[in-house]
Amino acid sequence: MKVTEHIKNANGKTQFSFEILPPLKGQHIQSIFDNIDPLMEFKPPFIDVTYHREEYVFKEVENGLLKKQVVKKRPGTVGICAAIQNKYGVDAIPHILCGGFTKEDTENFLIDLDFLGIENVMALRGDAVKSETYFKPEKEGHAYASELVAQIAEMNNGKYLDEELQNSSATNFCIGGAAYPEKHMEAPSLDSDIHFLKKKIKKGATYIVTQMFFNNQKYFDFVAKCRKEDITVPIIPGLKPISTRKQLNLIPHRFHVDLPEELIIDIVKCKDNKQVRQVGIEWCIQQSKELQKAGIPVLHYYSMGKSDNIKAIASALF
């Protein structure tokens, strides 16, 4: 079932969903199941599975020369999605990126998903690899998420890259996109960011999931600005409980979001990460309750592969 259908069928009731990471290469899928199992009692209608592009490393070989080597640390997004749908009977939503994909790679990826009966995809540009300052698309790939959305929408209309294909079957993907209540780090302004979000929706995105935020007012203000710009699709809030003191610096640096002063003070007072984790859980519960009271259709949690703190939050809400 499509995400938009799940929301419609809930009849105003707030639903619970979460995102997982594929295991590191060499690890068994059971590690994923072990973290999904405790969360199934909250009846998630869908589970997101991230996609991680390749990275480049340089290894020294004979004569002191350096050899470029491609490393993929977290393969398996498609297989995990198929396994989740088969094991749990819930919709799995694979992330698909511009980075690392040519248009043909994208088409083949989508064909595999269609064959597996996967009806939802999250279309993202993706970040630059560590060796690049700015994002660099593949030579025959997409530079922007809106272009990726457009290709998926074309396949939904039965149009493939090879225009000579006869009697081609249309896919049936519900297309999700990302949004940033505190703006994307590369956007010159929030208004500019919303302009490009609107373009992505015009190309075919039918729902949005936000970057994490820790101040609900930023989300409410962002939604209000979107509605003023005639963006009417569901805007699902993405939430993450802080779990370590290190994240006080890591989250603002990596994700370019602000932390409320009250949260910072509470974390600084903690004696160890066990206390930090509890503060993070309690803060996220309060965020979630306020969003739930506002009638938000889905609360989406970034689990980062761990379920114990997400379970503690969901137990207080669902």
Side-chain angles (χ1 to χ4, degrees), residues 205-222:
T206 54
Y207 74 96
I208 295 299
V209 180
T210 75
Q211 174 65 279
M212 69 181 74
F213 56 89
F214 297 87
N215 180 344
N216 284 351
Q217 194 58 50
K218 291 182 182 293
Y219 169 79
F220 291 133
D221 290 346
F222 175 74

Side-chain angles (χ1 to χ4, degrees), residues 122-180:
M122 175 64 69
L124 307 166
R125 191 199 69 175
D127 298 325
V129 296
K130 291 180 180 178
S131 59
E132 299 172 349
T133 303
Y134 297 104
F135 174 81
K136 183 179 179 181
E138 294 297 306
K139 186 177 180 180
E140 297 296 329
H142 298 300
Y144 304 103
S146 59
E147 296 173 350
L148 174 57
V149 168
Q151 182 178 359
I152 301 168
E154 285 283 87
M155 289 182 65
N156 282 348
N157 290 323
K159 296 180 181 179
Y160 290 71
L161 295 175
D162 183 353
E163 296 179 356
E164 296 182 3
L165 286 178
Q166 298 294 318
N167 301 317
S168 55
S169 297
T171 55
N172 188 35
F173 293 114
C174 177
I175 309 169
Y180 302 83

Side-chain angles (χ1 to χ4, degrees), residues 40-55:
M40 291 309 297
E41 67 176 281
F42 307 110
K43 297 180 172 55
F46 55 86
I47 299 170
D48 275 45
V49 183
T50 61
Y51 186 93
H52 294 256
R53 64 177 298 187
E54 77 290 342
E55 295 179 5

Side-chain angles (χ1 to χ4, degrees), residues 50-82:
T50 61
Y51 186 93
H52 294 256
R53 64 177 298 187
E54 77 290 342
E55 295 179 5
Y56 299 103
V57 296
F58 291 88
K59 292 195 172 183
E60 189 172 337
V61 293
E62 296 178 5
N63 303 321
L65 297 176
L66 294 177
K67 181 181 179 181
K68 185 178 181 181
Q69 182 175 330
V70 175
V71 177
K72 196 167 181 64
K73 293 183 178 179
R74 293 183 182 272
T77 296
V78 176
I80 291 168
C81 285

Side-chain angles (χ1 to χ4, degrees), residues 123-273:
L124 307 166
R125 191 199 69 175
D127 298 325
V129 296
K130 291 180 180 178
S131 59
E132 299 172 349
T133 303
Y134 297 104
F135 174 81
K136 183 179 179 181
E138 294 297 306
K139 186 177 180 180
E140 297 296 329
H142 298 300
Y144 304 103
S146 59
E147 296 173 350
L148 174 57
V149 168
Q151 182 178 359
I152 301 168
E154 285 283 87
M155 289 182 65
N156 282 348
N157 290 323
K159 296 180 181 179
Y160 290 71
L161 295 175
D162 183 353
E163 296 179 356
E164 296 182 3
L165 286 178
Q166 298 294 318
N167 301 317
S168 55
S169 297
T171 55
N172 188 35
F173 293 114
C174 177
I175 309 169
Y180 302 83
E182 299 176 61
K183 92 172 184 63
H184 190 279
M185 61 182 176
E186 296 176 19
S189 70
L190 182 58
D191 286 340
S192 172
D193 207 15
I194 290 175
H195 167 78
F196 287 106
L197 174 62
K198 191 172 182 178
K199 183 176 181 181
K200 189 158 43 179
I201 292 164
K202 187 176 181 181
K203 295 285 187 180
T206 54
Y207 74 96
I208 295 299
V209 180
T210 75
Q211 174 65 279
M212 69 181 74
F213 56 89
F214 297 87
N215 180 344
N216 284 351
Q217 194 58 50
K218 291 182 182 293
Y219 169 79
F220 291 133
D221 290 346
F222 175 74
V223 172
K225 287 177 76 73
C226 287
R227 300 307 184 216
K228 190 175 180 181
E229 291 297 321
D230 296 323
I231 294 174
T232 60
V233 302
I235 302 175
I236 298 171
L239 301 167
K240 173 179 167 48
I242 286 183
S243 57
T244 66
R245 189 187 297 270
K246 185 179 179 181
Q247 290 175 347
L248 277 182
N249 303 111
L250 181 64
I251 288 175
H253 174 71
R254 181 172 294 177
F255 299 101
H256 298 264
V257 300
D258 290 334
L259 298 177
E261 193 63 29
E262 182 183 349
L263 176 58
I264 296 169
I265 291 170
D266 286 347
I267 291 173
V268 170
K269 289 179 182 177
C270 293
K271 295 179 181 179
D272 53 34
N273 279 336

